[in-house]
mmCIF file of all heavy atoms in Angstrom:
data_model
loop_
_atom_site.group_PDB
_atom_site.id
_atom_site.type_symbol
_atom_site.label_atom_id
_atom_site.label_comp_id
_atom_site.label_asym_id
_atom_site.label_seq_id
_atom_site.Cartn_x
_atom_site.Cartn_y
_atom_site.Cartn_z
ATOM 1 N N ARG A 17 0.806 -1.191 -0.006
ATOM 2 C CA ARG A 17 -0.011 -0.037 0.036
ATOM 3 C C ARG A 17 0.844 1.267 0.027
ATOM 4 O O ARG A 17 0.539 2.195 -0.651
ATOM 5 C CB ARG A 17 -0.910 0.008 1.263
ATOM 6 C CG ARG A 17 -2.098 -0.763 1.012
ATOM 7 C CD ARG A 17 -3.078 -0.522 2.156
ATOM 8 N NE ARG A 17 -3.733 -1.717 2.469
ATOM 9 C CZ ARG A 17 -4.018 -2.114 3.644
ATOM 10 N NH1 ARG A 17 -3.785 -1.402 4.697
ATOM 11 N NH2 ARG A 17 -4.556 -3.306 3.836
ATOM 12 N N SER A 18 1.970 1.281 0.649
ATOM 13 C CA SER A 18 2.688 2.454 0.750
ATOM 14 C C SER A 18 3.606 2.614 -0.515
ATOM 15 O O SER A 18 3.878 3.876 -0.918
ATOM 16 C CB SER A 18 3.774 2.356 1.889
ATOM 17 O OG SER A 18 4.654 1.355 1.736
ATOM 18 N N THR A 19 3.835 1.703 -1.326
ATOM 19 C CA THR A 19 4.545 1.865 -2.605
ATOM 20 C C THR A 19 3.636 2.075 -3.817
ATOM 21 O O THR A 19 4.073 2.616 -4.855
ATOM 22 C CB THR A 19 5.510 0.682 -2.931
ATOM 23 O OG1 THR A 19 4.706 -0.442 -2.984
ATOM 24 C CG2 THR A 19 6.598 0.595 -1.890
ATOM 25 N N LEU A 20 2.332 1.753 -3.613
ATOM 26 C CA LEU A 20 1.325 1.834 -4.734
ATOM 27 C C LEU A 20 1.273 3.387 -5.153
ATOM 28 O O LEU A 20 1.361 3.568 -6.364
ATOM 29 C CB LEU A 20 0.040 1.269 -4.356
ATOM 30 C CG LEU A 20 -0.989 1.223 -5.433
ATOM 31 C CD1 LEU A 20 -0.462 0.385 -6.648
ATOM 32 C CD2 LEU A 20 -2.289 0.660 -4.983
ATOM 33 N N PRO A 21 1.120 4.343 -4.252
ATOM 34 C CA PRO A 21 1.114 5.677 -4.775
ATOM 35 C C PRO A 21 2.307 6.144 -5.504
ATOM 36 O O PRO A 21 2.348 6.822 -6.397
ATOM 37 C CB PRO A 21 0.853 6.492 -3.436
ATOM 38 C CG PRO A 21 0.271 5.598 -2.542
ATOM 39 C CD PRO A 21 0.869 4.230 -2.888
ATOM 40 N N LEU A 22 3.502 5.622 -5.023
ATOM 41 C CA LEU A 22 4.851 5.949 -5.649
ATOM 42 C C LEU A 22 4.798 5.437 -7.156
ATOM 43 O O LEU A 22 5.289 6.006 -8.028
ATOM 44 C CB LEU A 22 5.854 5.350 -4.808
ATOM 45 C CG LEU A 22 7.310 5.636 -5.378
ATOM 46 C CD1 LEU A 22 7.663 7.113 -5.402
ATOM 47 C CD2 LEU A 22 8.423 4.908 -4.603
ATOM 48 N N ILE A 23 4.339 4.179 -7.288
ATOM 49 C CA ILE A 23 4.250 3.519 -8.595
ATOM 50 C C ILE A 23 3.338 4.348 -9.567
ATOM 51 O O ILE A 23 3.612 4.628 -10.655
ATOM 52 C CB ILE A 23 3.866 2.122 -8.438
ATOM 53 C CG1 ILE A 23 4.993 1.286 -7.825
ATOM 54 C CG2 ILE A 23 3.603 1.484 -9.894
ATOM 55 C CD1 ILE A 23 4.603 -0.070 -7.449
ATOM 56 N N ILE A 24 2.116 4.643 -8.975
ATOM 57 C CA ILE A 24 1.143 5.408 -9.798
ATOM 58 C C ILE A 24 1.641 6.756 -10.137
ATOM 59 O O ILE A 24 1.530 7.239 -11.305
ATOM 60 C CB ILE A 24 -0.202 5.479 -9.108
ATOM 61 C CG1 ILE A 24 -0.803 4.142 -9.015
ATOM 62 C CG2 ILE A 24 -1.171 6.439 -9.794
ATOM 63 C CD1 ILE A 24 -2.016 4.005 -8.092
ATOM 64 N N GLY A 25 2.250 7.433 -9.211
ATOM 65 C CA GLY A 25 2.863 8.790 -9.411
ATOM 66 C C GLY A 25 3.976 8.684 -10.502
ATOM 67 O O GLY A 25 4.091 9.562 -11.360
ATOM 68 N N SER A 26 4.850 7.687 -10.364
ATOM 69 C CA SER A 26 5.911 7.552 -11.384
ATOM 70 C C SER A 26 5.351 7.239 -12.766
ATOM 71 O O SER A 26 5.888 7.798 -13.756
ATOM 72 C CB SER A 26 6.882 6.401 -10.931
ATOM 73 O OG SER A 26 7.445 6.693 -9.684
ATOM 74 N N ALA A 27 4.462 6.439 -12.779
ATOM 75 C CA ALA A 27 3.798 6.155 -14.095
ATOM 76 C C ALA A 27 3.104 7.424 -14.735
ATOM 77 O O ALA A 27 3.273 7.646 -15.865
ATOM 78 C CB ALA A 27 2.679 4.992 -13.980
ATOM 79 N N ALA A 28 2.458 8.251 -13.906
ATOM 80 C CA ALA A 28 1.812 9.371 -14.389
ATOM 81 C C ALA A 28 2.868 10.465 -14.886
ATOM 82 O O ALA A 28 2.680 11.015 -15.988
ATOM 83 C CB ALA A 28 1.009 10.028 -13.306
ATOM 84 N N ILE A 29 3.967 10.629 -14.129
ATOM 85 C CA ILE A 29 5.034 11.530 -14.563
ATOM 86 C C ILE A 29 5.614 11.059 -15.945
ATOM 87 O O ILE A 29 5.915 11.839 -16.797
ATOM 88 C CB ILE A 29 6.049 11.673 -13.519
ATOM 89 C CG1 ILE A 29 5.500 12.456 -12.314
ATOM 90 C CG2 ILE A 29 7.328 12.387 -14.042
ATOM 91 C CD1 ILE A 29 6.294 12.512 -11.064
ATOM 92 N N SER A 30 5.892 9.695 -16.045
ATOM 93 C CA SER A 30 6.412 9.164 -17.218
ATOM 94 C C SER A 30 5.517 9.411 -18.395
ATOM 95 O O SER A 30 5.946 9.807 -19.521
ATOM 96 C CB SER A 30 6.633 7.609 -17.127
ATOM 97 O OG SER A 30 7.569 7.397 -16.086
ATOM 98 N N VAL A 31 4.194 9.231 -18.275
ATOM 99 C CA VAL A 31 3.232 9.514 -19.322
ATOM 100 C C VAL A 31 3.271 10.998 -19.658
ATOM 101 O O VAL A 31 3.271 11.317 -20.919
ATOM 102 C CB VAL A 31 1.800 9.083 -18.934
ATOM 103 C CG1 VAL A 31 0.785 9.532 -19.883
ATOM 104 C CG2 VAL A 31 1.706 7.539 -18.787
ATOM 105 N N LEU A 32 3.358 11.818 -18.758
ATOM 106 C CA LEU A 32 3.369 13.262 -18.971
ATOM 107 C C LEU A 32 4.637 13.667 -19.796
ATOM 108 O O LEU A 32 4.601 14.462 -20.742
ATOM 109 C CB LEU A 32 3.276 14.071 -17.690
ATOM 110 C CG LEU A 32 1.896 14.146 -17.111
ATOM 111 C CD1 LEU A 32 1.915 14.848 -15.766
ATOM 112 C CD2 LEU A 32 0.855 14.723 -17.947
ATOM 113 N N LEU A 33 5.789 13.093 -19.280
ATOM 114 C CA LEU A 33 7.033 13.495 -19.905
ATOM 115 C C LEU A 33 7.266 12.897 -21.298
ATOM 116 O O LEU A 33 7.736 13.552 -22.223
ATOM 117 C CB LEU A 33 8.285 13.091 -19.011
ATOM 118 C CG LEU A 33 8.336 13.809 -17.750
ATOM 119 C CD1 LEU A 33 9.506 13.248 -16.943
ATOM 120 C CD2 LEU A 33 8.592 15.332 -17.981
ATOM 121 N N LEU A 34 6.877 11.692 -21.500
ATOM 122 C CA LEU A 34 6.970 10.950 -22.757
ATOM 123 C C LEU A 34 5.785 11.092 -23.694
ATOM 124 O O LEU A 34 5.946 11.084 -24.898
ATOM 125 C CB LEU A 34 7.283 9.499 -22.533
ATOM 126 C CG LEU A 34 8.594 9.187 -21.785
ATOM 127 C CD1 LEU A 34 8.645 7.676 -21.444
ATOM 128 C CD2 LEU A 34 9.778 9.602 -22.541
ATOM 129 N N GLY A 35 4.566 11.203 -23.112
ATOM 130 C CA GLY A 35 3.391 11.352 -23.862
ATOM 131 C C GLY A 35 3.344 12.449 -24.881
ATOM 132 O O GLY A 35 2.925 12.310 -26.013
ATOM 133 N N ARG A 36 3.682 13.645 -24.417
ATOM 134 C CA ARG A 36 3.574 14.810 -25.282
ATOM 135 C C ARG A 36 4.551 14.713 -26.526
ATOM 136 O O ARG A 36 3.975 14.885 -27.753
ATOM 137 C CB ARG A 36 3.911 16.108 -24.527
ATOM 138 C CG ARG A 36 3.555 17.334 -25.178
ATOM 139 C CD ARG A 36 3.619 18.520 -24.366
ATOM 140 N NE ARG A 36 3.348 19.723 -25.236
ATOM 141 C CZ ARG A 36 3.210 20.856 -24.703
ATOM 142 N NH1 ARG A 36 3.408 21.150 -23.453
ATOM 143 N NH2 ARG A 36 2.905 21.858 -25.587
ATOM 144 N N PRO A 37 5.780 14.377 -26.357
ATOM 145 C CA PRO A 37 6.532 14.309 -27.599
ATOM 146 C C PRO A 37 6.089 13.103 -28.493
ATOM 147 O O PRO A 37 6.065 13.230 -29.720
ATOM 148 C CB PRO A 37 7.990 13.983 -27.042
ATOM 149 C CG PRO A 37 7.956 14.486 -25.707
ATOM 150 C CD PRO A 37 6.588 14.316 -25.199
ATOM 151 N N LEU A 38 5.675 12.028 -27.865
ATOM 152 C CA LEU A 38 5.126 10.848 -28.728
ATOM 153 C C LEU A 38 3.909 11.262 -29.355
ATOM 154 O O LEU A 38 3.592 10.921 -30.529
ATOM 155 C CB LEU A 38 4.849 9.625 -27.797
ATOM 156 C CG LEU A 38 6.165 8.939 -27.325
ATOM 157 C CD1 LEU A 38 5.891 7.819 -26.342
ATOM 158 C CD2 LEU A 38 6.916 8.379 -28.481
ATOM 159 N N TRP A 39 2.978 12.051 -28.707
ATOM 160 C CA TRP A 39 1.712 12.437 -29.281
ATOM 161 C C TRP A 39 1.962 13.435 -30.509
ATOM 162 O O TRP A 39 1.455 13.206 -31.527
ATOM 163 C CB TRP A 39 0.857 13.163 -28.348
ATOM 164 C CG TRP A 39 -0.462 13.588 -28.886
ATOM 165 C CD1 TRP A 39 -0.771 14.682 -29.558
ATOM 166 C CD2 TRP A 39 -1.662 12.811 -28.932
ATOM 167 N NE1 TRP A 39 -2.032 14.727 -29.988
ATOM 168 C CE2 TRP A 39 -2.643 13.587 -29.585
ATOM 169 C CE3 TRP A 39 -1.953 11.527 -28.444
ATOM 170 C CZ2 TRP A 39 -3.952 13.184 -29.808
ATOM 171 C CZ3 TRP A 39 -3.351 11.038 -28.590
ATOM 172 C CH2 TRP A 39 -4.228 11.828 -29.272
ATOM 173 N N ARG A 40 2.991 14.333 -30.341
ATOM 174 C CA ARG A 40 3.353 15.258 -31.457
ATOM 175 C C ARG A 40 3.955 14.488 -32.534
ATOM 176 O O ARG A 40 3.714 14.840 -33.758
ATOM 177 C CB ARG A 40 4.278 16.318 -30.913
ATOM 178 C CG ARG A 40 3.590 17.380 -30.116
ATOM 179 C CD ARG A 40 4.572 18.462 -29.796
ATOM 180 N NE ARG A 40 3.858 19.475 -29.049
ATOM 181 C CZ ARG A 40 4.181 20.700 -29.000
ATOM 182 N NH1 ARG A 40 5.248 21.143 -29.624
ATOM 183 N NH2 ARG A 40 3.453 21.581 -28.304
ATOM 184 N N ALA A 41 4.708 13.498 -32.248
ATOM 185 C CA ALA A 41 5.381 12.731 -33.385
ATOM 186 C C ALA A 41 4.332 11.789 -34.136
ATOM 187 O O ALA A 41 4.435 11.648 -35.396
ATOM 188 C CB ALA A 41 6.509 11.916 -32.826
ATOM 189 N N PHE A 42 3.513 11.104 -33.310
ATOM 190 C CA PHE A 42 2.754 10.086 -33.980
ATOM 191 C C PHE A 42 1.136 10.274 -33.809
ATOM 192 O O PHE A 42 0.457 9.638 -34.488
ATOM 193 C CB PHE A 42 3.093 8.716 -33.327
ATOM 194 C CG PHE A 42 4.494 8.377 -33.439
ATOM 195 C CD1 PHE A 42 5.431 8.441 -32.422
ATOM 196 C CD2 PHE A 42 5.082 8.031 -34.714
ATOM 197 C CE1 PHE A 42 6.752 8.181 -32.615
ATOM 198 C CE2 PHE A 42 6.386 7.799 -34.880
ATOM 199 C CZ PHE A 42 7.286 7.783 -33.745
ATOM 200 N N GLY A 43 0.755 11.117 -32.954
ATOM 201 C CA GLY A 43 -0.664 11.312 -32.690
ATOM 202 C C GLY A 43 -1.274 12.329 -33.717
ATOM 203 O O GLY A 43 -0.596 13.033 -34.351
ATOM 204 N N PRO A 44 -2.647 12.227 -33.746
ATOM 205 C CA PRO A 44 -3.292 13.239 -34.670
ATOM 206 C C PRO A 44 -3.229 14.634 -34.208
ATOM 207 O O PRO A 44 -3.041 14.807 -32.933
ATOM 208 C CB PRO A 44 -4.664 12.675 -34.753
ATOM 209 C CG PRO A 44 -4.834 11.962 -33.469
ATOM 210 C CD PRO A 44 -3.514 11.398 -33.120
#
């Protein structure tokens, strides 16, 4: 339970950091 927020937070940050450049490159 104590590491679950850390995992979710890390995943969210990764999506935000990587998602925008990937969306610009490949998304509509």
